[in-house]
Amino acid sequence: MSIKLSKFVKSVSLLSVLAIALAGCGSKPAPAPDANAGKKPAETTTAANSLEQIKKAGKIRVGLMGTYAPYNFLNDKHEIDGFDADVAKAVAKRLGVQVEFITGEFSGLIEGLQKDKYDALVSQVTITEDRKKTMDFSTPYVKNAVNVIVKSDNTTIQKLEDFKGKKIGVGLGTNDEKYLRDVAMPKVGTFEIATYNDVITSLKDLNVGRIDATINNVFAIKPLIEKNQFKVKAVGDPIKEDFAGVAIRKNNPELLDAINKALAEMKTDGTFKEIFQKWFGVDPNF
């Protein structure tokens, strides 16, 4: 073999080896270096973190209406006060944090909870199966009996069945509104529903005859009636009874367990009884 031919064969052989090597690299590329190697997974807002985040912040953000005396309202010092407020403060104390109250219309509280505006709602949020699909509830902390409320001189409305053809006021986005639409109306026949963002306005309209009746629990309307001297009254037996709980975002078992533990301690050590008697003048009703 000549020298030139020998060099040509060697060159071809070398190129063949390089081609095979490159082909191997193309079919199975080497993995890129892991930038997160040796690091802990990034924390997310998980159930395990929610309680820790609250404790780290030193406060729990509680959403409530602030217009629903005696449950939650602004007192003469422009501070959030009421039954719900005292329950929230007692729970927070047992969690080792302070309370930051954030007020809003009831119709926006649940959405605000989902958007992380609040850590919890303590605002007479009724526990329902529908709401359990989108949020978690603590054990109940109060039972509310809902009555029909009419003007003092009204003799035509004594019960739910008398709503047919009338104009009935109710809180916007509340469980009572859902009850009127889904239960009462199919049962008694068509009537007009007027919605309100606060209880005081519905009672004012009832007092002057803009609506024929409303539904609410007596604990909630009693101080408003007395303060404003409204000529209204509750009639008949309660049309339904509801339980309210502390509402939080779903999948936060540590926070839920801590709240339930706090509520249980409050019932055992007499704190809950003291709060209930302070605002309603009677012992806890369940």
Side-chain angles (χ1 to χ4, degrees):
M1 181 182 293
S2 67
I3 295 175
K4 289 183 178 181
L5 181 59
S6 175
K7 287 182 178 180
F8 176 75
V9 171
K10 289 180 180 179
S11 297
V12 171
S13 299
L14 180 60
L15 287 172
S16 298
V17 171
L18 287 172
I20 292 171
L22 288 172
C25 290
S27 62
K28 193 174 182 179
D34 185 358
N36 295 317
K39 295 182 180 180
K40 294 181 179 179
E43 285 192 356
T44 58
T45 308
T46 63
N49 293 331
S50 295
L51 180 60
E52 293 174 9
Q53 289 170 354
I54 289 170
K55 289 188 174 183
K56 184 177 180 180
K59 66 181 181 181
I60 180 169
R61 300 168 300 160
V62 172
L64 38 65
M65 288 177 283
T67 57
Y68 196 39
Y71 293 101
N72 54 83
F73 62 97
L74 281 176
N75 62 24
D76 294 338
K77 297 179 181 179
H78 298 286
E79 299 170 335
I80 294 294
D81 207 348
F83 174 76
D84 288 337
D86 282 354
V87 169
K89 290 174 185 176
V91 168
K93 181 180 179 180
R94 286 160 175 76
L95 297 183
V97 298
Q98 299 295 314
V99 178
E100 178 186 357
F101 290 121
I102 305 173
T103 60
E105 294 176 352
F106 188 86
S107 56
L109 288 180
I110 294 175
E111 181 181 359
L113 178 67
Q114 304 301 343
K115 292 184 176 180
D116 197 28
K117 182 178 180 180
Y118 319 108
D119 297 309
L121 302 180
V122 189
S123 191
Q124 295 304 296
V125 184
T126 302
I127 302 171
T128 68
E129 292 305 315
D130 281 346
R131 286 175 177 168
K132 285 181 180 179
K133 296 175 183 176
T134 57
M135 66 188 83
D136 286 331
F137 285 94
S138 70
T139 53
Y141 66 90
V142 68
K143 179 177 73 173
N144 294 313
V146 178
N147 280 80
V148 175
I149 315 297
V150 299
K151 287 187 68 176
S152 296
D153 60 359
N154 187 305
T155 59
T156 60
I157 299 177
Q158 298 293 318
K159 55 188 182 302
L160 195 65
E161 286 73 13
D162 297 328
F163 280 7
K164 185 176 181 180
K166 302 296 193 300
K167 186 175 183 179
I168 312 300
V170 70
L172 177 65
T174 63
N175 187 56
D176 288 347
E177 180 190 3
K178 182 176 176 58
Y179 175 82
L180 287 183
R181 296 186 187 282
D182 297 351
V183 179
M185 195 174 292
K187 178 181 179 181
V188 309
T190 303
F191 53 86
E192 183 180 352
I193 295 177
T195 56
Y196 295 87
N197 284 319
D198 55 65
V199 178
I200 186 67
T201 307
S202 66
L203 290 176
K204 285 180 179 178
D205 277 6
L206 178 61
N207 191 59
V208 299
R210 292 193 184 97
I211 57 177
D212 297 301
T214 184
I215 64 172
N216 217 311
N217 79 74
V218 178
F219 283 156
I221 66 172
K222 183 179 178 182
L224 293 175
I225 292 172
E226 293 174 349
K227 181 178 180 180
N228 295 277
Q229 297 185 335
F230 291 140
K231 304 299 183 182
V232 302
K233 63 183 179 181
V235 295
D237 296 325
I239 58 175
K240 66 187 181 80
E241 291 183 335
D242 298 324
F243 290 91
V246 178
I248 65 172
R249 284 181 295 281
K250 289 192 74 66
N251 302 318
N252 286 282
E254 283 77 10
L255 177 58
L256 188 62
D257 288 347
I259 292 172
N260 282 335
K261 181 181 178 181
L263 290 172
E265 290 175 355
M266 289 162 59
K267 292 177 181 179
T268 300
D269 65 18
T271 301
F272 188 72
K273 181 178 180 179
E274 181 181 334
I275 294 172
F276 210 90
Q277 289 180 331
K278 173 184 175 181
W279 292 105
F280 306 130
V282 296
D283 288 345
N285 55 6
F286 74 101

